[in-house]
């Protein structure tokens, strides 16, 4: 009956299919109304009625014996009702590239796409991390999931662009998280953003301490924990899309603070992401003192990325692709992938792409 254009694509809907009718004066509503008929696809069957069969999308209208074209034809398969989260998910083979002239502009472009996929007019929270180091932003991926927030990159020099974007995109009274100390996110950034929201800086003496401060702020509960190396970004980049806390470790031994954190979550399942070259067997043995441990890894970062996606995203409708040999775009893309319930797949030019 109706089609709606979103970002240049036409989607079928039927805003009156579930419209109740008046049965009689004493029963003003029929009880047949059902919001599930809004934005459905041909796979949807409700009470024996299938959208693509009984309500076939078209672009012609007949009135008093006359027929005329009334807009573009739309596909009945563009949306499929998702009963788990009570919202439609896009079913399409479109490829969308999100990019800017620099990693900092790209992070803002990704945030704009995040806004669309998460259905937010304005963010209640934004997260800012160093654009030249990966550890704090990767640790912040779980915080981004909990707060439904984008991750923005800074080098301390993109102050005008950063302030203007946050001024336009953060709701009144919102929160701005700065990940890392002054060496990571300079004091000038905090000064430039003053007055735009409540600013909270999360940091520790090392990347591992900062990691724990971020997890404490996010509030880890009874859930799976990913253990990744803090020396490289590839494996934790793949893990950043899965809405789970990431614990960064070195390849020597667990710190006392990390043991304390794991002891407080001793019933949580632990997944090591990456091979023994990333997280060695000694660390694995220590982790076994705190819960069931499973390792997910492949012979390359690309294979690990795919194996991780197969483990935690069984039937994805969409995917986010990120460059495997550098981290900034993928760091921001992890938060976007979370908003889409999509895996983040690592790829690169050349043979790795296949």
């Amino acid at each position: 009956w109706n089609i709606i254009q979103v970002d240049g694509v036409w989607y079928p809907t039927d805003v009156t299919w579930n419209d109740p009718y008046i049965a009689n004066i004493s029963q003003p509503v029929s009880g047949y109304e059902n919001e599930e008929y809004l934005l459905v696809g041909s796979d949807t069957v409700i009470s024996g009625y299938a959208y693509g069969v009984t309500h076939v999308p078209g672009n012609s209208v007949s009135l008093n014996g006359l027929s005329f074209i009334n807009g573009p034809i739309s596909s009945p398969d563009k949306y499929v009702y998702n009963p788990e989260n009570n919202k439609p998910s896009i079913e399409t083979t479109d490829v969308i590239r999100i990019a800017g002239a620099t990693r900092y502009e790209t992070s803002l472009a990704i945030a704009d796409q995040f806004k669309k996929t998460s259905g937010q007019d304005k963010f209640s929270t934004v997260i800012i991390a160093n654009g030249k180091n990966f550890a704090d932003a990767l640790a912040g991926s779980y915080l981004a999931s909990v707060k439904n927030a984008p991750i923005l990159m800074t080098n301390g020099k993109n102050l005008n662009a950063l302030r203007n974007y946050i001024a336009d995109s953060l709701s009144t009274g919102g929160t701005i998280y700065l990940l890392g100390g002054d060496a990571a996110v300079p004091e000038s950034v905090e000064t430039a953003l003053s007055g735009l929201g409540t600013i909270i800086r999360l940091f520790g003496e090392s990347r591992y301490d900062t990691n724990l401060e971020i997890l404490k702020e996010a509030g880890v509960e009874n859930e799976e924990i990913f253990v990744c190396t803090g020396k490289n970004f590839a494996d934790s980049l793949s893990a950043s899309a899965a809405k789970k806390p990431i614990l960064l470790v070195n390849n020597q031994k667990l710190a006392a603070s990390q043991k304390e954190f794991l002891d407080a979550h001793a019933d949580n399942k632990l997944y090591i992401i990456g091979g023994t070259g990333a997280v060695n067997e000694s660390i694995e043995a220590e982790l076994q003192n705190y819960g069931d441990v499973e390792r997910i890894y492949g012979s390359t970062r690309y294979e690990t990325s795919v194996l991780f996606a197969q483990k935690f995203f069984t039937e994805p409708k969409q995917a986010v692709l990120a460059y495997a040999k550098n981290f900034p775009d993928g760091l921001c893309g992890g938060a976007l992938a979370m908003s889409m319930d999509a895996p983040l797949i690592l790829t690169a030019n050349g043979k790795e792409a296949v």
Side-chain angles (χ1 to χ4, degrees), residues 242-277:
K243 302 181 182 180
K244 304 290 184 183
I246 295 176
L247 179 67
L248 300 178
V249 298
N250 61 32
N251 229 355
Q252 298 172 352
K253 63 179 182 179
L254 295 175
S257 56
Q258 292 175 322
K259 292 179 180 179
E260 182 180 348
F261 171 80
L262 289 169
D263 194 49
H265 302 88
D267 294 331
N268 295 37
K269 170 82 181 225
L270 303 174
Y271 287 94
I272 298 174
I273 313 302
T276 55

Side-chain angles (χ1 to χ4, degrees), residues 275-330:
T276 55
V279 179
N280 64 28
E281 294 173 339
S282 175
I283 296 290
E284 182 175 2
E286 286 192 86
L287 291 172
Q288 289 171 349
N289 295 322
Y290 302 97
D292 184 27
V293 179
E294 180 178 340
R295 186 186 291 269
I296 299 174
Y297 70 102
S299 59
T300 67
R301 60 183 60 187
Y302 310 100
E303 187 176 338
T304 297
S305 173
V306 171
L307 291 173
F308 181 88
Q310 291 173 340
K311 175 72 175 182
F312 294 99
F313 298 88
T314 54
E315 295 182 356
K317 299 293 185 182
Q318 303 168 89
V320 174
L321 303 185
Y323 186 54
K325 296 182 178 181
N326 206 346
F327 58 86
D329 301 339

Side-chain angles (χ1 to χ4, degrees), residues 98-145:
I98 305 171
T102 66
R103 62 185 63 186
Y104 308 103
E105 290 182 19
T106 297
S107 75
L108 300 182
I110 292 173
D112 272 338
Q113 186 67 29
F114 183 106
K115 191 184 297 184
K116 295 176 184 177
T117 58
S118 60
Q120 302 180 76
D121 293 326
K122 287 183 177 290
F123 300 115
S124 61
T125 302
V126 295
I127 298 171
I128 300 175
N130 186 292
K132 294 185 177 181
N133 203 338
F134 59 85
D136 297 341
L138 284 173
S141 63
Y142 181 64
L143 180 65
S145 171

Side-chain angles (χ1 to χ4, degrees), residues 26-308:
S26 62
Q27 186 183 357
V29 179
S30 69
Y32 288 101
E33 62 278 1
N34 191 333
E35 291 78 8
E36 293 178 346
Y37 288 115
L38 181 64
L39 290 177
V40 298
S42 59
D43 290 340
T44 304
V45 179
I46 303 173
S47 301
Y49 294 96
Y51 183 85
V53 177
T54 60
H55 288 57
V56 181
N59 67 338
S60 63
V61 174
S62 297
L63 180 66
N64 296 331
L66 300 175
S67 297
F68 56 92
I69 301 300
N70 187 43
I73 296 177
S74 59
S75 166
D77 296 318
K78 277 293 183 182
Y79 272 92
V80 176
Y81 178 71
N82 185 345
E84 291 184 0
N85 56 18
N86 198 32
K87 67 180 181 181
S89 57
I90 298 176
E91 189 172 84
T92 178
T93 56
D94 292 342
V95 176
I96 301 172
R97 182 183 295 275
I98 305 171
T102 66
R103 62 185 63 186
Y104 308 103
E105 290 182 19
T106 297
S107 75
L108 300 182
I110 292 173
D112 272 338
Q113 186 67 29
F114 183 106
K115 191 184 297 184
K116 295 176 184 177
T117 58
S118 60
Q120 302 180 76
D121 293 326
K122 287 183 177 290
F123 300 115
S124 61
T125 302
V126 295
I127 298 171
I128 300 175
N130 186 292
K132 294 185 177 181
N133 203 338
F134 59 85
D136 297 341
L138 284 173
S141 63
Y142 181 64
L143 180 65
S145 171
V146 171
K147 301 296 183 180
N148 200 21
I151 296 177
L152 307 178
M153 297 281 103
T154 187
N155 58 357
K157 299 178 182 179
N158 61 331
L159 299 181
N160 288 337
L162 196 61
R163 179 179 173 83
N164 291 340
Y165 184 84
I166 292 176
D168 291 338
S169 301
L170 185 67
S171 60
T172 303
T175 301
I176 304 169
Y177 283 102
L178 308 182
L179 304 187
D182 293 346
V185 179
E187 186 72 25
S188 59
V189 175
E190 186 169 353
T191 301
L193 301 180
S194 177
L196 297 183
T198 300
I199 298 177
I200 300 175
R201 185 184 289 271
L202 303 174
F203 69 101
E205 293 183 2
S206 69
R207 63 182 58 188
Y208 307 103
D209 293 326
T210 296
N211 177 199
L212 291 176
E213 291 301 315
I214 293 170
L215 293 180
K216 290 176 185 177
E217 179 71 16
V220 179
E221 297 182 353
N222 298 323
E223 53 200 309
E224 298 160 336
I225 297 174
F226 300 142
V227 180
C228 304
T229 177
K231 299 291 188 180
N232 204 333
F233 59 86
D235 297 333
S236 47
L237 200 59
S238 299
S240 67
K243 302 181 182 180
K244 304 290 184 183
I246 295 176
L247 179 67
L248 300 178
V249 298
N250 61 32
N251 229 355
Q252 298 172 352
K253 63 179 182 179
L254 295 175
S257 56
Q258 292 175 322
K259 292 179 180 179
E260 182 180 348
F261 171 80
L262 289 169
D263 194 49
H265 302 88
D267 294 331
N268 295 37
K269 170 82 181 225
L270 303 174
Y271 287 94
I272 298 174
I273 313 302
T276 55
V279 179
N280 64 28
E281 294 173 339
S282 175
I283 296 290
E284 182 175 2
E286 286 192 86
L287 291 172
Q288 289 171 349
N289 295 322
Y290 302 97
D292 184 27
V293 179
E294 180 178 340
R295 186 186 291 269
I296 299 174
Y297 70 102
S299 59
T300 67
R301 60 183 60 187
Y302 310 100
E303 187 176 338
T304 297
S305 173
V306 171
L307 291 173
F308 181 88

Side-chain angles (χ1 to χ4, degrees), residues 1-2 13-21 33-34 37-38 55:
W1 270 226
N2 311 100
T13 183
D14 191 342
V15 298
T16 58
W17 193 358
N18 64 328
D19 190 35
Y21 62 88
E33 62 278 1
N34 191 333
Y37 288 115
L38 181 64
H55 288 57

